[in-house]
Amino acid sequence: MTEENEGRGGRWGLFLLALFVGLPLLALCGLTVLGPPSPETMVFTFAVTAMVVGGLMAPWSPRLAWGARLGFVALFLVVVWRVFSADAGRTVRAYTVDAGSPALASGRLLDTIVPERDVAIGGTLFLQAMGQMGPPEPGLLDALRDGYARMRLDQGPVPSSTVSTFVMGQTPEDHTVFRVAPADRFNPPEAVVLFLHGSMGNITVACWQVAQAANPVGLDVICPSTDWRAEWEGEEGQAIVQAALARLRSENVRRVYLAGLSRGGIGISRMARDLDVEGIILISGASSRARPKRVPTLVLQGRRDPRTPPAPARQYARAVGATYREHPEAGHWMLLSHHEWFESELRRWLAYREGLGDVHGSGAAEAPTGDN
């Protein structure tokens, strides 16, 4: 009788595990299958499904309880593989800011588990279906798939803060920071790009894409996180930026180029006067209520951007005498959909600011037109 009660107690434990852990994971898996998902996510989904179905029926069916146990073991193995493989990315590293320490700590465990590609593509499809993505942007899904394929080929599995931003939050006292350094770097950098993400969170593929232009010039790319609204000009957002700048200066970084995508660019344009940086880069975003700062500035914009139209970006560029580049066919996600053009323009501007020759060949870098 005692053994039977113990067995029944264990099955009720599986029931609670399936209810409070398995069902939320299954909902996330349901989002990713819209992708379609990658092979690792398919295995993850199968394991979670077995755990949920078996766990919810375990109190009444000992056989299904074994299915739940096998699903849990499979899920555990997938998570372990993700943790070790994502942590071994070639140049993308995830860290955590801890208010109790001036140094960066190791990244959040959750950031190593989530396959960002499937969440980002599935989430985009879901938001489009719900009418929450604003005006449609042709080619967005293809650009996302291509960007993640290129990053996977270059890096293998990478960490991602996509889910932890919504589950755990991102605050000045505790937030994720990505760092992408040149593969052949052995000495601390003298110059970095500090990149501020747009709304819906700090997606790794955008940070990595900026690094494809900055790393060949010898610059690290640092990508801090704020909450999903990306209100960088707000109190918490500014605190994160100022803390990042202070930390970089303490590491003897001499030149910081502050870049922002979408809401990140809008935030920079509004708080630029309060920031001690050597250059500004606005990507698909500037505010009509900007407070421009006269430092070397690059503005990259898509003419067909349905979310942040070109007018404020052009206005900002005129106000500071910036280098302004506008792609006639690009939309909001120009850094992925037209990544070769984006990389070329950003790399050329950074090379000129750093006083380097043409990073693809010989000769001096040409001065970007209109730069101050």
Side-chain angles (χ1 to χ4, degrees):
M1 187 68 176
T2 302
E3 291 182 2
E4 181 180 345
N5 288 337
E6 289 178 353
R8 183 170 298 175
R11 294 198 296 273
W12 276 105
L14 290 173
F15 176 86
L16 294 175
L17 185 67
L19 185 64
F20 293 107
V21 177
L23 282 178
L25 286 176
L26 193 59
L28 179 62
C29 291
L31 187 66
T32 64
V33 298
L34 298 173
S38 60
E40 63 192 273
T41 298
M42 292 177 66
V43 175
F44 190 91
T45 302
F46 176 80
V48 172
T49 302
M51 185 180 76
V52 169
V53 173
L56 292 179
M57 298 300 296
W60 303 277
S61 174
R63 289 185 178 181
L64 288 176
W66 277 107
R69 294 185 181 99
L70 291 175
F72 180 78
V73 170
L75 179 63
F76 176 77
L77 293 175
V78 171
V79 168
V80 169
W81 178 81
R82 279 288 309 178
V83 167
F84 283 98
S85 61
D87 195 46
R90 295 185 180 94
T91 59
V92 177
R93 293 288 185 271
Y95 303 92
T96 303
V97 168
D98 184 350
S101 171
L104 293 174
S106 57
R108 295 171 171 176
L109 179 64
L110 184 56
D111 290 345
T112 64
I113 295 173
V114 176
E116 180 179 280
R117 172 202 178 274
D118 299 327
V119 175
I121 294 175
T124 298
L125 284 166
F126 176 77
L127 291 173
Q128 285 180 339
M130 297 295 292
Q132 299 298 312
M133 287 288 290
E137 181 172 347
L140 172 58
L141 290 172
D142 288 338
L144 285 171
R145 292 187 181 104
D146 176 70
Y148 282 109
R150 289 184 292 108
M151 183 172 69
R152 180 79 179 211
L153 184 63
D154 179 61
Q155 293 288 320
V158 296
S160 170
S161 64
T162 307
V163 173
S164 72
T165 294
F166 292 90
V167 175
M168 303 171 66
Q170 305 283 357
T171 67
E173 296 77 23
D174 180 14
H175 61 271
T176 299
V177 177
F178 296 113
R179 187 166 196 148
V180 190
D184 56 353
R185 173 178 300 291
F186 298 101
N187 300 316
E190 290 190 357
V192 304
V193 173
L194 182 63
F195 176 72
L196 308 186
H197 63 79
S199 58
M200 303 310 292
N202 190 4
I203 61 172
T204 311
V205 72
C207 182
W208 171 83
Q209 184 63 71
V210 172
Q212 301 315 291
N215 283 175
V217 186
L219 278 66
D220 288 16
V221 177
I222 314 295
C223 306
S225 304
T226 187
D227 67 20
W228 65 271
R229 295 167 297 180
E231 294 178 345
W232 291 103
E233 69 275 25
E235 183 178 349
E236 288 200 349
Q238 289 200 48
I240 291 171
V241 174
Q242 294 289 6
L245 289 171
R247 186 168 55 252
L248 291 171
R249 300 302 187 188
S250 71
E251 296 173 0
N252 297 317
V253 173
R254 300 172 63 182
R255 296 176 301 283
V256 177
Y257 302 103
L258 184 62
L261 168 66
S262 187
R263 284 286 299 131
I266 290 172
I268 291 172
S269 69
R270 290 176 178 172
M271 61 180 176
R273 291 183 187 176
D274 302 323
L275 302 174
D276 178 23
V277 295
E278 282 64 46
I280 286 175
I281 304 160
L282 304 183
I283 307 164
S284 299
S287 174
S288 57
R289 297 182 287 111
R291 300 171 62 239
K293 179 174 183 173
R294 278 198 165 271
V295 294
T297 301
L298 173 66
V299 180
L300 298 174
Q301 179 69 37
R303 188 173 301 171
R304 298 186 177 183
D305 189 335
R307 300 181 64 186
T308 53
R314 295 170 183 165
Q315 179 182 344
Y316 189 96
R318 285 194 298 268
V320 300
T323 298
Y324 181 78
R325 296 288 183 266
E326 183 177 297
H327 196 292
E329 302 298 327
H332 189 67
W333 281 93
M334 150 266 294
L335 87 165
L336 293 179
S337 63
H338 295 74
H339 63 91
E340 292 179 346
W341 175 84
F342 169 80
E343 290 174 23
S344 175
E345 293 292 347
L346 179 54
R347 185 185 298 120
R348 176 170 169 260
W349 187 85
L350 289 171
Y352 177 74
R353 301 309 331 165
E354 288 294 291
L356 302 176
D358 185 347
V359 294
H360 294 298
S362 59
E366 179 186 353
T369 305
D371 209 344
N372 43 11

